[in-house]
Amino acid sequence: MDMDKIVALCKRRGFIFQASEIYGGLNGFWDYGPLGAELKKNVKDAWWQDMVRNPPPGPDGQEIAMVGLDSAIIQNPKVWEASGHAAGFQDPMVDCKKCRRRFRADKVFFGSLRMEVGGPEVAAIAVEADDATAAQKLLDEEYQRLVKKKKLRGEILHGVRAATDFHPAEKHHPCPAEGCDGELTEPRTFNLMFKTYVGALEDASNQAWLRPETAQGIFTNFKNVLDSSRVRPPFGIAQVGKAFRNEINPRNYTFRSREFEQMEIEFFCHPSESKKWYEYWRDVRIRWYSELGIRSDRLRPREQGEKELAFYSVGTTDIEYLFPFSDEPQELEGVAHRGEYDLTQHSKHSGKDLSYFDDELWAKADKSAYGGDKKKEQEAKNKPPYRYVPHVIEPSAGADRFTLAVLCEAYAEDTVGGEARTVMRFHPRLAPIKAAILPLVNKEGMPEIAHKLYRELKPQWNVYYDDGGAIGRRYRRQDEAGTPFCFTIDGQTLQDNTVTVRHRDDCKQERLPIKEVPAMLANALKPPQR
Ligand code: GAP
């Protein structure tokens, strides 16, 4: 996997372009071209189909109740006060006083070293890394480089610390940028939400934010959904949509963007069952990536340690992918147990009761214990197990991150008949073009037959008609676009109504009656049976 080659192919073949490229682009924003738009749509459609319309059976083999939602990007600003984003959605940042670069303080690490064994001189070095383990590795390498350069035998003093752990008394907080010997500032916080104004006046009373996650729109509609749909816990609300974060360091292509799409589920359940549902969603979500062709050796579920967990959470698993731009796997999705935190926060801030009353359980309850005392009965009714604030399990995935992982995973180079080719080995469900219909030559009635087949397939799938150039070149074009099947109408078609099916991955060819093409395609593209 070579990121530069993947990026070049994405531009050349119309998967991803820099946003407003003709004006020099805009850092952190990306546009999806014709093939990329199809690919990302297929990612979102597969998620919706497999998680909302037809989720796998629950832990006890039961049907899972899931409904969809499409909430507004701009919400009442009070939503972000309740969720904690207005106050807390701030990353501590450090700036280099010399080169003016800005870094997230939790991604810069300092290490100390002596340039002579036992000697007095202790210098600090800095590296950018995702965590302390990765930082230690980089610091070791940097130290070896320094020692070699200065031909000194020294020692590294172990125990790295992040720039968030700033010690003003220490003299030296070096910039991690290569070639820069500047000093970093103390960490300062930076608001990641994009500000806007609603209405004509740009004053504080009209200030609003572009949502930094889709999740809050789900919590604020919890009661609306309960009251309007026949769902009751355990059930989930799902949403796909844009989110915006004014990331300090957009980087690694689309991986960290300022505008991106999320695919989020908030699954509401009884507190006593939340562990079971957390494990269910963690396993379902890991399996989903494998089913769509992500190899297990590049996919890593990482259960967060107790210290990493948010204070309200009993468990979070990051599902990570080993991208070619990093030595360490990076987060595609977080599956978090959020307890009752969000619904309680919104109850407090809105003054609306977001607890759930289990009327079915109450109807079955033995009320004789209250001896006809209506007050006691009312009190019991308003307490668990009849009334409770549901716990939430949140599988929160990034559509752009997964699309990028799919592109990286699919990219391959091989040789066919002695000729080099680039091929995108997408899972057929995700492939932007499902099949190409190719008349071998533009005569003898072949275009007519090919066009008829194309018209027959087009209402159901994104298929492509191509009659331009030698057949080998047409196959190569489809390989680069990741089209899993080519149907070629050739001389034999005229005799026996069969077509050549050419398979993208192994280039094998076989004959198939033309009337069986739709069924063959439907079979290859069908979602997994549950
Ligand atoms: N509601 C929980 C939430 O938003 P998050 O870990 O901040 O959690 C969830 O985001 C997912 O959204 C991430 O796992 C990632 O896939 C995606 N995501 C977050 N920030 C992103 C960014 N700047 N660019 C692209 N995707 C991002």
Side-chain angles (χ1 to χ4, degrees), residues 85 89 212-216 245 247 254-262 264 266 318-319 331-334 338 394 396-402:
H85 285 87
F89 206 56
E213 61 172 25
T214 63
Q216 298 305 322
R245 296 182 192 176
E247 297 280 3
T254 57
F255 180 81
R256 177 158 291 125
S257 314
R258 289 180 164 138
E259 176 178 340
F260 54 95
E261 260 179 297
Q262 291 186 313
E264 296 202 290
E266 306 301 330
D318 287 342
I319 304 177
E331 180 185 324
L332 287 180
E333 166 164 357
R338 298 182 60 90
E394 179 191 68
S396 171
D400 304 84
R401 283 204 186 162
F402 181 45

mmCIF file of all heavy atoms in Angstrom, residues 85 89 212-216 245 247 254-262 264 266 318-319 331-334 338 394 396-402, ligand 1:
data_model
loop_
_atom_site.group_PDB
_atom_site.id
_atom_site.type_symbol
_atom_site.label_atom_id
_atom_site.label_comp_id
_atom_site.label_asym_id
_atom_site.label_seq_id
_atom_site.Cartn_x
_atom_site.Cartn_y
_atom_site.Cartn_z
ATOM 1 N N HIS A 85 -20.620 20.099 24.497
ATOM 2 C CA HIS A 85 -19.729 20.523 23.412
ATOM 3 C C HIS A 85 -19.363 22.001 23.525
ATOM 4 O O HIS A 85 -18.231 22.376 23.242
ATOM 5 C CB HIS A 85 -20.381 20.270 22.051
ATOM 6 C CG HIS A 85 -20.380 18.834 21.669
ATOM 7 N ND1 HIS A 85 -21.374 17.967 22.046
ATOM 8 C CD2 HIS A 85 -19.505 18.096 20.966
ATOM 9 C CE1 HIS A 85 -21.111 16.760 21.575
ATOM 10 N NE2 HIS A 85 -19.971 16.806 20.914
ATOM 11 N N PHE A 89 -15.853 21.130 24.068
ATOM 12 C CA PHE A 89 -15.366 20.665 22.774
ATOM 13 C C PHE A 89 -14.180 21.513 22.354
ATOM 14 O O PHE A 89 -14.186 22.203 21.352
ATOM 15 C CB PHE A 89 -16.476 20.740 21.740
ATOM 16 C CG PHE A 89 -16.294 19.755 20.620
ATOM 17 C CD1 PHE A 89 -16.160 18.403 20.887
ATOM 18 C CD2 PHE A 89 -16.257 20.157 19.307
ATOM 19 C CE1 PHE A 89 -15.991 17.486 19.868
ATOM 20 C CE2 PHE A 89 -16.088 19.250 18.274
ATOM 21 C CZ PHE A 89 -15.958 17.922 18.565
ATOM 22 N N PRO A 212 -21.217 19.243 15.501
ATOM 23 C CA PRO A 212 -19.950 18.518 15.425
ATOM 24 C C PRO A 212 -20.146 17.006 15.456
ATOM 25 O O PRO A 212 -19.192 16.245 15.339
ATOM 26 C CB PRO A 212 -19.206 18.976 16.681
ATOM 27 C CG PRO A 212 -20.304 19.283 17.664
ATOM 28 C CD PRO A 212 -21.514 19.703 16.876
ATOM 29 N N GLU A 213 -21.384 16.552 15.650
ATOM 30 C CA GLU A 213 -21.708 15.117 15.595
ATOM 31 C C GLU A 213 -23.206 15.006 15.339
ATOM 32 O O GLU A 213 -23.968 15.941 15.615
ATOM 33 C CB GLU A 213 -21.329 14.411 16.904
ATOM 34 C CG GLU A 213 -22.069 14.939 18.125
ATOM 35 C CD GLU A 213 -21.847 14.109 19.384
ATOM 36 O OE1 GLU A 213 -20.814 13.431 19.482
ATOM 37 O OE2 GLU A 213 -22.730 14.141 20.263
ATOM 38 N N THR A 214 -23.638 13.871 14.795
ATOM 39 C CA THR A 214 -25.069 13.709 14.509
ATOM 40 C C THR A 214 -25.823 13.204 15.744
ATOM 41 O O THR A 214 -27.041 13.282 15.814
ATOM 42 C CB THR A 214 -25.292 12.697 13.355
ATOM 43 O OG1 THR A 214 -24.812 11.418 13.765
ATOM 44 C CG2 THR A 214 -24.600 13.137 12.083
ATOM 45 N N ALA A 215 -25.073 12.684 16.723
ATOM 46 C CA ALA A 215 -25.681 11.984 17.856
ATOM 47 C C ALA A 215 -26.705 12.829 18.618
ATOM 48 O O ALA A 215 -27.765 12.323 19.010
ATOM 49 C CB ALA A 215 -24.578 11.538 18.818
ATOM 50 N N GLN A 216 -26.402 14.123 18.813
ATOM 51 C CA GLN A 216 -27.278 14.913 19.689
ATOM 52 C C GLN A 216 -28.680 15.070 19.108
ATOM 53 O O GLN A 216 -29.658 15.155 19.847
ATOM 54 C CB GLN A 216 -26.651 16.276 20.001
ATOM 55 C CG GLN A 216 -25.322 16.183 20.737
ATOM 56 C CD GLN A 216 -25.397 15.373 22.023
ATOM 57 O OE1 GLN A 216 -26.384 15.442 22.762
ATOM 58 N NE2 GLN A 216 -24.358 14.599 22.302
ATOM 59 N N ARG A 245 -16.143 19.926 12.125
ATOM 60 C CA ARG A 245 -15.231 20.245 13.234
ATOM 61 C C ARG A 245 -14.075 21.062 12.675
ATOM 62 O O ARG A 245 -13.443 20.649 11.702
ATOM 63 C CB ARG A 245 -14.671 18.975 13.894
ATOM 64 C CG ARG A 245 -15.740 18.157 14.543
ATOM 65 C CD ARG A 245 -15.205 16.926 15.247
ATOM 66 N NE ARG A 245 -16.322 16.069 15.602
ATOM 67 C CZ ARG A 245 -16.223 14.870 16.156
ATOM 68 N NH1 ARG A 245 -15.033 14.389 16.440
ATOM 69 N NH2 ARG A 245 -17.295 14.173 16.434
ATOM 70 N N GLU A 247 -11.072 21.278 12.828
ATOM 71 C CA GLU A 247 -9.873 20.555 13.283
ATOM 72 C C GLU A 247 -8.640 21.440 13.122
ATOM 73 O O GLU A 247 -8.498 22.137 12.111
ATOM 74 C CB GLU A 247 -9.676 19.273 12.452
ATOM 75 C CG GLU A 247 -10.792 18.253 12.582
ATOM 76 C CD GLU A 247 -10.695 17.415 13.846
ATOM 77 O OE1 GLU A 247 -9.784 17.668 14.663
ATOM 78 O OE2 GLU A 247 -11.550 16.528 14.019
ATOM 79 N N THR A 254 -8.370 12.354 3.597
ATOM 80 C CA THR A 254 -9.701 12.648 4.159
ATOM 81 C C THR A 254 -9.833 12.164 5.605
ATOM 82 O O THR A 254 -10.882 12.358 6.213
ATOM 83 C CB THR A 254 -10.784 11.927 3.337
ATOM 84 O OG1 THR A 254 -10.488 10.522 3.347
ATOM 85 C CG2 THR A 254 -10.821 12.425 1.914
ATOM 86 N N PHE A 255 -8.782 11.553 6.153
ATOM 87 C CA PHE A 255 -8.913 10.904 7.464
ATOM 88 C C PHE A 255 -9.367 11.894 8.535
ATOM 89 O O PHE A 255 -10.280 11.623 9.299
ATOM 90 C CB PHE A 255 -7.591 10.250 7.881
ATOM 91 C CG PHE A 255 -7.691 9.588 9.225
ATOM 92 C CD1 PHE A 255 -8.242 8.329 9.347
ATOM 93 C CD2 PHE A 255 -7.269 10.240 10.381
ATOM 94 C CE1 PHE A 255 -8.375 7.723 10.590
ATOM 95 C CE2 PHE A 255 -7.400 9.639 11.626
ATOM 96 C CZ PHE A 255 -7.956 8.386 11.717
ATOM 97 N N ARG A 256 -8.691 13.022 8.623
ATOM 98 C CA ARG A 256 -9.138 14.062 9.553
ATOM 99 C C ARG A 256 -9.515 15.287 8.750
ATOM 100 O O ARG A 256 -8.668 16.056 8.314
ATOM 101 C CB ARG A 256 -8.056 14.372 10.587
ATOM 102 C CG ARG A 256 -8.453 15.497 11.514
ATOM 103 C CD ARG A 256 -7.708 15.505 12.824
ATOM 104 N NE ARG A 256 -8.104 14.385 13.649
ATOM 105 C CZ ARG A 256 -7.264 13.492 14.162
ATOM 106 N NH1 ARG A 256 -6.003 13.584 13.938
ATOM 107 N NH2 ARG A 256 -7.711 12.508 14.901
ATOM 108 N N SER A 257 -10.823 15.447 8.494
ATOM 109 C CA SER A 257 -11.316 16.561 7.687
ATOM 110 C C SER A 257 -12.084 17.519 8.585
ATOM 111 O O SER A 257 -12.381 17.207 9.733
ATOM 112 C CB SER A 257 -12.270 16.060 6.605
ATOM 113 O OG SER A 257 -11.756 14.948 5.957
ATOM 114 N N ARG A 258 -12.444 18.646 8.000
ATOM 115 C CA ARG A 258 -13.235 19.612 8.776
ATOM 116 C C ARG A 258 -14.729 19.439 8.508
ATOM 117 O O ARG A 258 -15.551 19.900 9.275
ATOM 118 C CB ARG A 258 -12.771 21.031 8.449
ATOM 119 C CG ARG A 258 -11.394 21.277 9.043
ATOM 120 C CD ARG A 258 -10.875 22.673 8.764
ATOM 121 N NE ARG A 258 -9.774 22.976 9.648
ATOM 122 C CZ ARG A 258 -8.659 23.594 9.290
ATOM 123 N NH1 ARG A 258 -8.496 23.969 8.040
ATOM 124 N NH2 ARG A 258 -7.721 23.849 10.153
ATOM 125 N N GLU A 259 -15.041 18.820 7.391
ATOM 126 C CA GLU A 259 -16.429 18.471 7.086
ATOM 127 C C GLU A 259 -16.413 16.987 6.750
ATOM 128 O O GLU A 259 -15.633 16.554 5.907
ATOM 129 C CB GLU A 259 -16.922 19.278 5.882
ATOM 130 C CG GLU A 259 -18.315 18.892 5.443
ATOM 131 C CD GLU A 259 -18.819 19.733 4.269
ATOM 132 O OE1 GLU A 259 -18.291 20.845 4.028
ATOM 133 O OE2 GLU A 259 -19.735 19.265 3.596
ATOM 134 N N PHE A 260 -17.237 16.214 7.437
ATOM 135 C CA PHE A 260 -17.225 14.763 7.197
ATOM 136 C C PHE A 260 -18.603 14.202 7.509
ATOM 137 O O PHE A 260 -19.479 14.928 7.973
ATOM 138 C CB PHE A 260 -16.148 14.089 8.052
ATOM 139 C CG PHE A 260 -16.247 14.393 9.526
ATOM 140 C CD1 PHE A 260 -16.912 13.545 10.390
ATOM 141 C CD2 PHE A 260 -15.694 15.547 10.048
ATOM 142 C CE1 PHE A 260 -17.025 13.832 11.751
ATOM 143 C CE2 PHE A 260 -15.795 15.849 11.397
ATOM 144 C CZ PHE A 260 -16.461 14.987 12.247
ATOM 145 N N GLU A 261 -18.761 12.924 7.204
ATOM 146 C CA GLU A 261 -20.062 12.312 7.466
ATOM 147 C C GLU A 261 -19.938 11.209 8.496
ATOM 148 O O GLU A 261 -18.985 10.423 8.468
ATOM 149 C CB GLU A 261 -20.654 11.752 6.175
ATOM 150 C CG GLU A 261 -21.686 12.697 5.594
ATOM 151 C CD GLU A 261 -22.260 12.187 4.303
ATOM 152 O OE1 GLU A 261 -21.503 12.054 3.340
ATOM 153 O OE2 GLU A 261 -23.466 11.936 4.255
ATOM 154 N N GLN A 262 -20.934 11.171 9.365
ATOM 155 C CA GLN A 262 -20.966 10.124 10.386
ATOM 156 C C GLN A 262 -22.128 9.175 10.136
ATOM 157 O O GLN A 262 -23.136 9.560 9.526
ATOM 158 C CB GLN A 262 -21.134 10.746 11.771
ATOM 159 C CG GLN A 262 -19.916 11.527 12.227
ATOM 160 C CD GLN A 262 -20.068 12.007 13.660
ATOM 161 O OE1 GLN A 262 -21.091 12.547 14.029
ATOM 162 N NE2 GLN A 262 -19.030 11.810 14.465
ATOM 163 N N GLU A 264 -24.225 7.043 12.729
ATOM 164 C CA GLU A 264 -24.284 6.845 14.179
ATOM 165 C C GLU A 264 -25.565 6.133 14.599
ATOM 166 O O GLU A 264 -26.642 6.387 14.049
ATOM 167 C CB GLU A 264 -24.214 8.183 14.915
ATOM 168 C CG GLU A 264 -22.906 8.910 14.702
ATOM 169 C CD GLU A 264 -22.616 9.926 15.806
ATOM 170 O OE1 GLU A 264 -23.324 10.943 15.849
ATOM 171 O OE2 GLU A 264 -21.697 9.713 16.619
ATOM 172 N N GLU A 266 -27.709 5.330 18.222
ATOM 173 C CA GLU A 266 -27.858 5.405 19.668
ATOM 174 C C GLU A 266 -28.846 4.302 20.017
ATOM 175 O O GLU A 266 -29.996 4.315 19.572
ATOM 176 C CB GLU A 266 -28.387 6.777 20.119
ATOM 177 C CG GLU A 266 -27.572 7.967 19.616
ATOM 178 C CD GLU A 266 -26.110 7.965 20.025
ATOM 179 O OE1 GLU A 266 -25.791 7.427 21.100
ATOM 180 O OE2 GLU A 266 -25.272 8.484 19.256
ATOM 181 N N ASP A 318 -12.527 1.025 20.346
ATOM 182 C CA ASP A 318 -12.232 1.710 19.094
ATOM 183 C C ASP A 318 -11.958 0.644 18.046
ATOM 184 O O ASP A 318 -11.152 -0.260 18.285
ATOM 185 C CB ASP A 318 -10.985 2.599 19.235
ATOM 186 C CG ASP A 318 -11.290 3.835 20.062
ATOM 187 O OD1 ASP A 318 -12.481 4.169 20.224
ATOM 188 O OD2 ASP A 318 -10.329 4.462 20.551
ATOM 189 N N ILE A 319 -12.652 0.754 16.922
ATOM 190 C CA ILE A 319 -12.362 -0.180 15.828
ATOM 191 C C ILE A 319 -11.399 0.554 14.904
ATOM 192 O O ILE A 319 -11.727 1.609 14.370
ATOM 193 C CB ILE A 319 -13.659 -0.597 15.098
ATOM 194 C CG1 ILE A 319 -14.639 -1.200 16.117
ATOM 195 C CG2 ILE A 319 -13.342 -1.598 13.984
ATOM 196 C CD1 ILE A 319 -15.986 -1.581 15.548
ATOM 197 N N GLU A 331 -8.428 5.115 14.262
ATOM 198 C CA GLU A 331 -9.853 4.870 14.542
ATOM 199 C C GLU A 331 -10.770 5.051 13.324
ATOM 200 O O GLU A 331 -10.759 6.068 12.650
ATOM 201 C CB GLU A 331 -10.295 5.846 15.644
ATOM 202 C CG GLU A 331 -11.746 5.690 16.025
ATOM 203 C CD GLU A 331 -12.212 6.724 17.029
ATOM 204 O OE1 GLU A 331 -11.428 7.111 17.915
ATOM 205 O OE2 GLU A 331 -13.370 7.168 16.913
ATOM 206 N N LEU A 332 -11.572 3.993 13.081
ATOM 207 C CA LEU A 332 -12.640 4.082 12.084
ATOM 208 C C LEU A 332 -13.955 4.375 12.782
ATOM 209 O O LEU A 332 -14.839 5.026 12.253
ATOM 210 C CB LEU A 332 -12.827 2.730 11.368
ATOM 211 C CG LEU A 332 -11.817 2.253 10.369
ATOM 212 C CD1 LEU A 332 -12.242 0.899 9.827
ATOM 213 C CD2 LEU A 332 -11.705 3.246 9.227
ATOM 214 N N GLU A 333 -14.083 3.819 13.987
ATOM 215 C CA GLU A 333 -15.360 3.881 14.694
ATOM 216 C C GLU A 333 -15.123 3.692 16.178
ATOM 217 O O GLU A 333 -14.222 2.964 16.581
ATOM 218 C CB GLU A 333 -16.257 2.749 14.159
ATOM 219 C CG GLU A 333 -17.482 2.466 15.001
ATOM 220 C CD GLU A 333 -18.538 1.634 14.276
ATOM 221 O OE1 GLU A 333 -18.349 1.324 13.084
ATOM 222 O OE2 GLU A 333 -19.542 1.308 14.919
ATOM 223 N N GLY A 334 -15.956 4.337 16.981
ATOM 224 C CA GLY A 334 -15.933 4.086 18.414
ATOM 225 C C GLY A 334 -17.264 3.460 18.808
ATOM 226 O O GLY A 334 -18.320 3.957 18.409
ATOM 227 N N ARG A 338 -22.474 4.727 26.886
ATOM 228 C CA ARG A 338 -22.558 6.102 27.387
ATOM 229 C C ARG A 338 -23.446 6.222 28.620
ATOM 230 O O ARG A 338 -23.755 7.341 29.048
ATOM 231 C CB ARG A 338 -23.037 7.037 26.274
ATOM 232 C CG ARG A 338 -22.066 7.085 25.087
ATOM 233 C CD ARG A 338 -22.532 8.039 24.026
ATOM 234 N NE ARG A 338 -22.665 9.390 24.513
ATOM 235 C CZ ARG A 338 -21.696 10.316 24.498
ATOM 236 N NH1 ARG A 338 -20.517 10.010 23.995
ATOM 237 N NH2 ARG A 338 -21.916 11.520 24.972
ATOM 238 N N GLU A 394 -23.491 3.442 21.875
ATOM 239 C CA GLU A 394 -23.323 4.281 20.688
ATOM 240 C C GLU A 394 -22.230 3.756 19.753
ATOM 241 O O GLU A 394 -21.047 3.994 19.991
ATOM 242 C CB GLU A 394 -22.956 5.712 21.108
ATOM 243 C CG GLU A 394 -22.740 6.634 19.931
ATOM 244 C CD GLU A 394 -22.114 7.952 20.341
ATOM 245 O OE1 GLU A 394 -20.934 7.953 20.749
ATOM 246 O OE2 GLU A 394 -22.811 8.968 20.276
ATOM 247 N N SER A 396 -20.437 4.652 16.675
ATOM 248 C CA SER A 396 -20.328 5.893 15.900
ATOM 249 C C SER A 396 -19.198 5.751 14.869
ATOM 250 O O SER A 396 -18.020 5.708 15.227
ATOM 251 C CB SER A 396 -20.033 7.050 16.858
ATOM 252 O OG SER A 396 -19.731 8.207 16.128
ATOM 253 N N ALA A 397 -19.603 5.680 13.601
ATOM 254 C CA ALA A 397 -18.622 5.397 12.539
ATOM 255 C C ALA A 397 -18.485 6.603 11.611
ATOM 256 O O ALA A 397 -19.394 7.414 11.487
ATOM 257 C CB ALA A 397 -19.069 4.179 11.737
ATOM 258 N N GLY A 398 -17.351 6.697 10.948
ATOM 259 C CA GLY A 398 -17.119 7.769 9.988
ATOM 260 C C GLY A 398 -17.244 7.228 8.570
ATOM 261 O O GLY A 398 -16.519 6.298 8.193
ATOM 262 N N ALA A 399 -18.173 7.818 7.794
ATOM 263 C CA ALA A 399 -18.362 7.340 6.415
ATOM 264 C C ALA A 399 -17.123 7.629 5.569
ATOM 265 O O ALA A 399 -16.734 6.822 4.721
ATOM 266 C CB ALA A 399 -19.592 7.997 5.794
ATOM 267 N N ASP A 400 -16.501 8.780 5.815
ATOM 268 C CA ASP A 400 -15.322 9.127 5.000
ATOM 269 C C ASP A 400 -14.115 8.275 5.384
ATOM 270 O O ASP A 400 -13.348 7.842 4.528
ATOM 271 C CB ASP A 400 -14.980 10.611 5.194
ATOM 272 C CG ASP A 400 -16.170 11.473 4.864
ATOM 273 O OD1 ASP A 400 -17.032 11.647 5.759
ATOM 274 O OD2 ASP A 400 -16.270 11.931 3.733
ATOM 275 N N ARG A 401 -13.985 8.034 6.698
ATOM 276 C CA ARG A 401 -12.853 7.198 7.136
ATOM 277 C C ARG A 401 -12.991 5.789 6.589
ATOM 278 O O ARG A 401 -12.011 5.191 6.154
ATOM 279 C CB ARG A 401 -12.788 7.160 8.662
ATOM 280 C CG ARG A 401 -12.217 8.438 9.183
ATOM 281 C CD ARG A 401 -11.603 8.279 10.522
ATOM 282 N NE ARG A 401 -11.230 9.623 10.975
ATOM 283 C CZ ARG A 401 -10.976 9.936 12.213
ATOM 284 N NH1 ARG A 401 -11.037 9.016 13.148
ATOM 285 N NH2 ARG A 401 -10.629 11.176 12.530
ATOM 286 N N PHE A 402 -14.220 5.248 6.626
ATOM 287 C CA PHE A 402 -14.358 3.882 6.116
ATOM 288 C C PHE A 402 -14.157 3.879 4.599
ATOM 289 O O PHE A 402 -13.533 2.969 4.056
ATOM 290 C CB PHE A 402 -15.712 3.285 6.509
ATOM 291 C CG PHE A 402 -15.879 1.861 6.028
ATOM 292 C CD1 PHE A 402 -14.849 0.936 6.186
ATOM 293 C CD2 PHE A 402 -17.036 1.440 5.397
ATOM 294 C CE1 PHE A 402 -14.973 -0.373 5.730
ATOM 295 C CE2 PHE A 402 -17.170 0.136 4.935
ATOM 296 C CZ PHE A 402 -16.136 -0.777 5.099
HETATM 297 N N1 GAP B 1 -20.944 10.808 18.817
HETATM 298 C C1 GAP B 1 -19.644 10.328 19.108
HETATM 299 C C2 GAP B 1 -18.607 10.896 18.240
HETATM 300 O O1 GAP B 1 -18.838 11.794 17.458
HETATM 301 P P1 GAP B 1 -16.077 10.665 17.647
HETATM 302 O O2 GAP B 1 -15.092 9.587 18.016
HETATM 303 O O3 GAP B 1 -15.687 12.056 17.913
HETATM 304 O O4 GAP B 1 -17.418 10.275 18.404
HETATM 305 C C3 GAP B 1 -16.993 9.294 15.630
HETATM 306 O O5 GAP B 1 -16.458 10.496 16.108
HETATM 307 C C4 GAP B 1 -16.394 8.948 14.294
HETATM 308 O O6 GAP B 1 -16.524 10.050 13.395
HETATM 309 C C5 GAP B 1 -14.902 8.645 14.339
HETATM 310 O O7 GAP B 1 -14.646 7.305 14.712
HETATM 311 C C6 GAP B 1 -14.495 8.925 12.901
HETATM 312 O O8 GAP B 1 -14.773 7.809 12.082
HETATM 313 C C7 GAP B 1 -15.420 10.067 12.517
HETATM 314 N N2 GAP B 1 -14.691 11.348 12.639
HETATM 315 C C8 GAP B 1 -14.514 12.088 13.737
HETATM 316 N N3 GAP B 1 -13.788 13.197 13.464
HETATM 317 C C9 GAP B 1 -13.498 13.143 12.150
HETATM 318 C C10 GAP B 1 -12.771 13.989 11.249
HETATM 319 N N4 GAP B 1 -12.234 15.129 11.656
HETATM 320 N N5 GAP B 1 -12.670 13.625 9.949
HETATM 321 C C11 GAP B 1 -13.239 12.465 9.501
HETATM 322 N N6 GAP B 1 -13.935 11.641 10.308
HETATM 323 C C12 GAP B 1 -14.067 11.953 11.611
#
